[in-house]
Each structure stands twice: as C-alpha cells, then as structure tokens.
C-alpha cells in the first residue's frame, strides 16, 4: 500500500540517473516503469527492482536508486514530515544535484 508521497507525483528517471536518499529509513521506493538498482548503506544485499516492484528502506544512512533503464518511480513515507534528511536527484550525464527534499529547509523554510 502506498502512503503519502514525498515528491509530488512520480519521478521520471532517464537511464543512468540516480536518487540519493539520506537517512530515509522506512521510505518506500516503488517502480512504476523501468528498472532500478537499489543499494542501502550497511546492507550486504543490493536489489534490482522492476516494474511493479517496491522496497521499503530498512536502514538509516544513505540509499541509492540508480536507473538501469528509463524508469518512473515514486518515493513515499509513512511519516507526514521530516521523513529523510535529504533527497537528491542527479540526472544522467551530469554531476549537478537537484535537491528534492531537505529536512532542515522543511523545518525552517526562511533559511535559504
């Protein structure tokens, strides 16, 4: 079952793009289309999630979801606020980080 969405709507990822989720324990990553490789800091086993599959992050630390092919994912959380420290998207072929969520900014929106 999907809970409250973190990022509004689904995220389209081109092949080679990645999501970095920092301190996002209990966040659910759902793959609507495509295929992503998912790894969690401190976890021995990585996962490949295909269309229709999902995984709930089991650990704190950093998790990486890497698009093995063009993919559409949704990241959700059972917590309505402050569900991760930071969530960043890095599009394929770039090193530019697009910050999707930052807990510090969410707590203190006046801080730029």
């Amino acid at each position: 079952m999907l809970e409250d969405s973190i990022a509004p709507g689904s995220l389209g990822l081109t092949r080679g793009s990645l999501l970095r989720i920092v301190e996002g324990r209990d966040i659910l990553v759902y793959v609507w289309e495509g295929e992503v490789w998912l790894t969690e800091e401190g976890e021995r086993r990585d996962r490949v999630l295909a269309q229709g599959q999902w995984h709930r992050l089991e650990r704190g630390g950093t998790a990486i979801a890497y698009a093995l092919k063009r993919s559409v994912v949704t990241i959700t959380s059972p917590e309505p606020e402050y569900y991760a420290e930071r969530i960043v998207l890095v599009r394929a072929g770039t090193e530019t980080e697009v910050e999707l969520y930052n807990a510090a900014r969410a707590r203190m929106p006046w801080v730029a």
Side-chain angles (χ1 to χ4, degrees):
M1 182 165 102
L2 297 178
E3 293 95 10
D4 297 331
S5 183
I6 292 171
S10 299
L11 298 168
L13 304 174
T14 56
R15 182 175 159 236
S17 295
L18 68 85
L19 285 171
R20 182 179 307 116
I21 304 167
V22 180
E23 296 299 334
R25 183 182 183 137
D26 293 331
I27 283 179
L28 184 135
V29 178
Y30 186 92
V31 179
W32 294 94
E33 293 178 27
E35 188 174 64
V36 300
W37 167 71
L38 182 66
T39 186
E40 293 182 68
E41 185 176 330
E43 177 64 46
R44 289 182 175 194
R45 191 177 113 189
D46 293 348
R47 292 168 170 75
V48 174
L49 303 176
Q51 180 176 334
Q53 295 182 318
W54 59 271
H55 177 72
R56 186 170 303 280
L57 302 180
E58 298 169 350
R59 301 180 176 275
T62 300
I64 302 289
Y66 179 86
L68 296 172
K69 57 175 132 175
R70 185 188 166 286
S71 301
V72 176
V73 301
T74 304
I75 48 179
T76 61
S77 173
E79 299 297 322
E81 296 182 324
Y82 316 129
Y83 28 75
E85 185 176 303
R86 189 167 186 244
I87 301 173
V88 173
L89 169 66
V90 180
R91 298 222 182 261
T94 74
E95 294 182 16
T96 305
E97 294 184 347
V98 177
E99 191 170 72
L100 301 177
Y101 177 80
N102 184 314
R105 286 194 208 331
R107 288 184 191 103
M108 298 179 289
W110 62 89
V111 177

